[in-house]
Amino acid sequence: MKLKIQYNCLNIDWNYVSEILKKVGMMYFEGEVHKKAFENSHTVVFAFDDNKLIGFGRVISDGTYQAAIYDIAVLPEYQGKKVGTTIVNSLLKCIPQCNFILYASPGKEIFYENMNFKKMKTGMVLFLNAEKMQTKGFTE
């Protein structure tokens, strides 16, 4: 694997971003929706194996002291090869002065715990489709 990291949204196939999210079982939308979300984010990271997009992630932040990580996804055939760790570490190093929050897909919490993230006791959420998210295991 020849891993390359990109810190901008240039030349990204947004429909393929949707396909990757679908393949890993995450929420996905039409490509244009993801394009807008990534372009409006503070920091973005795209991981490539040579010229093939294999993963990505983004951060929403004030750039000063708070940040939230979203959309960390790696193609299944590249999982377990430190691609996700590289994506998260690449995001963290861009704004090291910030506290970071995130919510993991159910069953993926251990990945973040291995990177020293801790479960919050006071985290709260207001989902648009609360029943669906409860069924998926995101809320109590």
Side-chain angles (χ1 to χ4, degrees), residues 70-109:
Y70 288 94
D71 297 330
I72 303 296
V74 175
L75 282 170
E77 60 268 30
Y78 287 90
Q79 292 178 9
K81 298 180 180 182
K82 301 293 183 191
V83 176
T85 300
T86 300
I87 291 169
V88 173
N89 283 334
S90 297
L91 292 168
L92 296 175
K93 79 175 186 178
C94 289
I95 42 178
Q97 71 280 10
C98 286
N99 295 306
F100 287 86
I101 62 169
L102 61 84
Y103 64 88
S105 294
K108 299 293 184 180
E109 300 91 344

Side-chain angles (χ1 to χ4, degrees), residues 4-46:
K4 180 180 85 173
I5 299 297
Q6 175 176 311
Y7 292 94
N8 59 54
C9 295
L10 299 176
N11 302 313
I12 298 298
D13 179 343
W14 297 104
N15 291 322
Y16 190 54
V17 167
S18 291
E19 287 178 37
I20 291 173
L21 289 165
K22 184 178 181 179
K23 283 183 182 181
V24 300
M26 291 173 61
M27 186 178 295
Y28 64 94
F29 304 95
E30 292 181 20
E32 283 299 311
V33 174
H34 293 295
K35 179 179 189 284
K36 185 175 182 179
F38 275 79
E39 287 179 344
N40 286 324
S41 296
H42 183 281
T43 306
V44 299
V45 169
F46 296 91

Side-chain angles (χ1 to χ4, degrees), residues 88-140:
V88 173
N89 283 334
S90 297
L91 292 168
L92 296 175
K93 79 175 186 178
C94 289
I95 42 178
Q97 71 280 10
C98 286
N99 295 306
F100 287 86
I101 62 169
L102 61 84
Y103 64 88
S105 294
K108 299 293 184 180
E109 300 91 344
I110 193 73
F111 170 78
Y112 296 102
E113 288 173 356
N114 287 336
M115 296 187 71
N116 293 320
F117 283 83
K118 307 293 183 213
K119 290 185 179 181
M120 290 180 62
K121 292 182 179 183
T122 59
M124 305 295 285
V125 67
L126 180 60
F127 285 118
L128 292 177
N129 190 335
E131 286 183 34
K132 178 181 176 184
M133 297 308 279
Q134 183 178 20
T135 301
K136 289 185 161 213
F138 283 96
T139 59
E140 297 175 349

